[in-house]
Amino acid sequence: MQLSLEPSELTRGTTVDRGATRIDDQTGQALSVAATVMRDGTVMAPTEAGEEAAFFERHPVLAEHARRLLWSGRTNVRYSYISEDDVWHLVSIHALPDGFGDQLGRVVVQRTKPPFRLTLRELDVLTLMTAGHANQHIADCLDIKLRTVTTHVERILVKMGRLSRTAAATVAVDFGLLRLPTPGGGRNLQPLTVGLLDDGEASTDSRSGETVHRRGPTSAPRPLVIGTPLSLKGLAASDAREMMMSARLAVQEINAAGGVLGRPLELREMSCDIGDAEDVGRAVKSLIDHEVDAIASGYSAAEIQIQEMMADYGAPYLHCATMEAMVDRVRQDPDRLSNIFQICPSDISYGPRFIQFLDQLSQSGQWNPHSNRVVVIQPRWSQMDVGLRRVEQMADRRGLKLEIIDDLPAQGIDWSQVMRRVHAADPCAVFLAYYFPEENIAFLRNYLADPGRALVYTLYGPSVPAYREELGAAAEGVIWATTTGRAPSEQAQNFANRFEKMHGKPPGHSHAGLAYDRVHLLARAWHETGDPRGFRSVCEAIRRLPYRGVNGMYFMDNAGQSVSAPDPSSVDPSLSHPHLIFQIQNGQQALLSPSPEGQNNFRTPPWIAGKRYRLPAQYRAGV
């Protein structure tokens, strides 16, 4: 395969020449700039070329590289430089004589697309590979797994069309595919010329022979970046906005206190549709390509894919998928998935806790069921398991007859057909085993158009304020459960107050607290280890250090690296995350179980009590 860098790989758009600066005539941005650097690092850009002066002022490290080249006695170098806005640049520096027997550095910087479609991580691996380092040393420098390096090397050779590491290294040197700053410091690239340019390394004055140690130009510390794939316009968008607002609150508070290790925190929010596995994968890949320091996510239809991508990357992945299947994957492959954490209890307790709650209501005399039939509705969601096998066993022992409806899609459900099956069963309770607010709302509207005498018990969706905002009084009496939420505590109330002060409205009762807590989990681990890019040590800190957050105690030192389910009767958030059951009463969330000192009592839903809620006309017409 012949190596060629097409013009489209080096520039973007149509260009016009303005002196030494090439300008994109569509964006007005410089595609290439040039300047001369004196031996002391002073930049001399043409007075008429404001683009050059501005560019080198924004990127002073380039002048420092030129100064180092002049001090080294070498005459030229080419390398790749990635700016803070993730733009790739090809940098060429040549030592040229001036009129006084000294040398000047001519620096030419050209904006480029990633050659051979390399990712940033692949460029790092190629850089160290070109210096002759073995895979294990590369893994140590980048703090990733040996297997991951091997995979990167294979992909690099395929993308570059080369059969050997030596051939790929030759191309890298010829075309400047060596990244500065170098992972692990300039010593990892010596004796290559580019290795002499890195910050903090010694260089020798070619005239005096004196070894000079110089620091690079000072700049603001690089922020610690948390990647967050969010479904801001897709499925569960209202929940994603809750998570985003909570994470922003945590970042603001931590930065106001000085950040972590003197570095500010930053969120990189990537919009995607969590119901579209391909779209989620694209978002996570983009975050990895941006070399975020961790990824914190809610839930998606692509959890297995994300786990595999994050295992290759190595950075901590904190998710709230609430799936025992995801926890079990970590148990089965603890070495490869050692950076994967589920920061809430799993879904398998939802079903059994539903049956136990019906027992409590019936035995306490608060509810008198009119039949022994129960309908369970579980739309298809990959890997979800609410413990139906155990539910069937528990129901059989209690003389309950179950009808399970599990042949429904995750979105766009025809609820009119479902209602026919529900009414035919005439159940005493309907268990809607589904998380997302959109279909939860659609179900209730259809049910209330012709209500039966069943309790409506669902999962999580009503925790999002948008559920009550959209349904209004129609939500009265709905019961819902969550494996993680804000149990009554001073810490939880203080969080809610600060959230409302920042955003002008109160937070939801579940993932709002989780999104806030996971930022603090990462910040604590980074502070504890002192090395945010030391992924393995950061993950070990997350695993072994207990943390008391808004939603309860986080302690994940177990085989599945997940918050464990607590005793169902415990409301103490210092032990784990209590399994909470709420009922919407007078438009508010009333905690029914576990309720401290019987604070709230169950209320018979209005459709059972004969107080039928009449839906607005626009909704009656649609059901």
Side-chain angles (χ1 to χ4, degrees), residues 545-598:
L545 294 176
Y547 173 73
R548 173 68 166 87
V550 171
N551 277 27
M553 179 62 71
Y554 296 83
F555 186 59
M556 294 171 282
D557 192 7
N558 53 65
Q561 299 192 158
S562 170
V563 173
S564 301
D567 181 334
S569 64
S570 173
V571 74
D572 186 354
S574 67
L575 301 177
S576 183
H577 291 204
H579 190 117
L580 306 177
I581 301 176
F582 292 87
Q583 185 180 37
I584 298 177
Q585 298 178 357
N586 298 326
Q588 302 297 315
Q589 304 286 14
L591 180 63
L592 298 184
S593 176
S595 179
E597 301 177 1

Side-chain angles (χ1 to χ4, degrees), residues 470-547:
E470 189 160 342
L471 284 170
E476 186 73 12
V478 169
I479 303 168
W480 64 274
T482 179
T483 63
T484 178
R486 285 191 290 118
S489 71
E490 182 178 358
Q491 183 175 358
Q493 186 58 53
N494 288 339
F495 158 75
N497 293 341
R498 296 194 307 275
F499 183 102
E500 185 167 9
K501 182 178 180 180
M502 180 177 183
H503 298 296
K505 62 179 183 179
H509 278 67
S510 184
H511 269 265
L514 281 178
Y516 179 88
D517 286 345
R518 61 193 180 219
V519 174
H520 282 275
L521 277 166
L522 288 167
R524 177 174 177 176
W526 288 332
H527 176 79
E528 180 73 17
T529 62
D531 180 14
R533 298 302 291 187
F535 292 155
R536 278 176 282 196
S537 58
V538 171
C539 290
E540 178 60 24
I542 294 172
R543 175 187 173 95
R544 66 180 173 80
L545 294 176
Y547 173 73

Side-chain angles (χ1 to χ4, degrees), residues 16 31 38 55 203 221 266 334 421 441 457 493 522 564 575 577 587 601 609:
V16 295
L31 295 174
M38 299 178 65
F55 182 86
S203 58
E266 178 180 296
R421 298 166 69 177
I441 291 170
Y457 184 109
Q493 186 58 53
L522 288 167
S564 301
L575 301 177
H577 291 204
N601 292 318

Side-chain angles (χ1 to χ4, degrees), residues 279-474:
D279 195 34
V280 175
R282 175 199 58 77
V284 172
K285 181 181 184 301
S286 178
L287 292 172
I288 291 173
D289 288 347
H290 281 97
E291 296 191 313
V292 296
D293 298 290
I295 291 184
S297 174
Y299 43 81
S300 78
E303 286 304 315
I304 293 178
Q305 178 185 355
I306 296 175
Q307 285 194 3
E308 291 301 314
M309 295 170 71
M310 291 304 298
D312 287 338
Y313 183 43
Y317 174 51
L318 277 59
H319 70 88
C320 315
T322 323
M323 291 185 186
E324 186 65 14
M326 297 301 101
V327 176
D328 195 53
R329 292 188 83 249
V330 177
R331 292 192 191 102
Q332 299 302 320
D333 198 353
D335 293 332
R336 174 165 169 74
L337 302 179
S338 61
N339 59 325
I340 312 297
F341 298 89
Q342 179 172 286
I343 63 169
C344 58
S346 292
D347 49 4
I348 55 173
S349 62
Y350 272 128
R353 188 70 189 97
F354 162 68
I355 298 295
Q356 292 172 349
F357 181 71
L358 294 185
D359 277 350
Q360 293 171 1
L361 287 183
S362 178
Q363 293 170 8
S364 67
Q366 297 181 76
W367 173 59
N368 184 24
H370 74 278
S371 77
N372 66 342
R373 292 177 294 278
V374 172
V375 171
V376 178
I377 304 173
Q378 183 175 352
R380 291 189 296 270
W381 184 252
S382 177
Q383 307 297 317
M384 184 177 180
D385 179 8
V386 296
L388 285 184
R389 181 175 299 180
R390 189 175 168 205
V391 167
E392 291 174 332
Q393 296 170 347
M394 295 173 70
D396 185 62
R397 289 197 297 268
R398 290 162 173 78
L400 295 174
K401 296 182 179 180
L402 293 183
E403 176 167 346
I404 299 175
I405 303 174
D406 59 1
D407 55 351
L408 306 175
Q411 300 180 66
I413 299 171
D414 182 355
W415 286 110
S416 62
Q417 295 293 331
V418 176
M419 288 304 120
R420 293 188 184 96
R421 298 166 69 177
V422 171
H423 290 316
D426 189 24
C428 65
V430 174
F431 175 30
L432 177 57
Y434 190 76
Y435 297 126
F436 308 120
E438 294 90 339
E439 295 295 344
N440 256 291
I441 291 170
F443 163 82
L444 190 63
R445 282 177 174 160
N446 277 267
Y447 185 74
L448 292 182
D450 183 19
R453 293 175 289 172
L455 296 180
V456 173
Y457 184 109
T458 186
L459 306 180
Y460 175 69
S463 72
V464 183
Y467 181 91
R468 285 175 294 154
E469 292 169 3
E470 189 160 342
L471 284 170

